[in-house]
């Protein structure tokens, strides 16, 4: 397990790969600045998802790619898809190596930022939901 704020190290298998130089990929393409280690006791999943959205909307990039656990993505869909929308992403996990494109929107309501996934933007690129 990679310690907080530490660059990912290539495993012994990665180091022998002929596909690419994994350590160079890890060094040049991963941003570990937000990897803070274990979850603090004074937080919960909703706070962390909102913090994630806050961070994303403070980036200059127009598009980002996010990797993670299927349960996190299901929780993200359950939280940020409108309540009235019935979509399989709320009930099913993303398949291993699944890829889904979405548009997340931000609105400021009563001086508080709110986030929502545009239901029309959900596009299964690969794999889909189990």
């Amino acid at each position: 397990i990679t310690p907080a704020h530490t660059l990912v190290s290539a495993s012994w298998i990665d180091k022998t790969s002929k596909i690419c130089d994994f350590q160079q990929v890890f060094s040049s393409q991963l941003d570990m600045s937000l990897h803070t280690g274990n979850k603090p006791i004074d937080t919960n999943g909703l706070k962390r998802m909102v913090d994630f959205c806050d961070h994303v909307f403070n980036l200059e990039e127009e598009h980002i790619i996010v990797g993670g656990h299927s349960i996190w993505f299901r929780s993200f869909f359950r939280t940020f898809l409108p309540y009235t929308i019935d979509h399989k992403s709320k009930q099913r996990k993303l398949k291993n190596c699944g890829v889904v494109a979405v548009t997340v929107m931000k609105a400021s309501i009563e001086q508080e930022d709110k986030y929502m996934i545009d239901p029309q933007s959900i596009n299964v690129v690969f794999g889909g939901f189990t």
Side-chain angles (χ1 to χ4, degrees), residues 54-68:
D54 289 341
H55 173 72
V56 166
F57 276 88
N58 284 318
L59 296 173
E60 293 181 18
E61 288 79 7
E62 185 176 346
H63 301 94
I64 65 163
I65 298 171
V66 178

Side-chain angles (χ1 to χ4, degrees), residues 116-127:
M116 182 183 91
I117 296 170
D118 176 1
Q120 301 299 316
S121 74
I122 300 171
N123 180 23
V124 174
V125 177
F126 179 80

Side-chain angles (χ1 to χ4, degrees), residues 51-99:
D51 287 347
F52 168 77
C53 289
D54 289 341
H55 173 72
V56 166
F57 276 88
N58 284 318
L59 296 173
E60 293 181 18
E61 288 79 7
E62 185 176 346
H63 301 94
I64 65 163
I65 298 171
V66 178
H69 294 277
S70 58
I71 293 175
W72 185 91
F73 284 106
R74 184 177 64 192
S75 297
F76 193 81
F77 280 105
R78 285 179 176 173
T79 302
F80 296 111
L81 268 175
Y83 181 76
T84 57
I85 299 297
D86 183 29
H87 191 272
K88 65 177 121 184
S89 63
K90 289 182 173 182
Q91 285 79 39
R92 307 221 177 233
K93 296 190 304 182
L94 192 58
K95 289 184 178 179
N96 288 345
C97 298
V99 178

Side-chain angles (χ1 to χ4, degrees), residues 1-9 26-27 30-38 40 55:
I1 298 175
T2 303
H5 305 293
T6 304
L7 187 62
V8 175
S9 295
F26 297 156
S27 299
L30 295 179
D31 176 4
M32 300 303 288
S33 65
L34 297 178
H35 172 49
T36 58
N38 292 335
H55 173 72

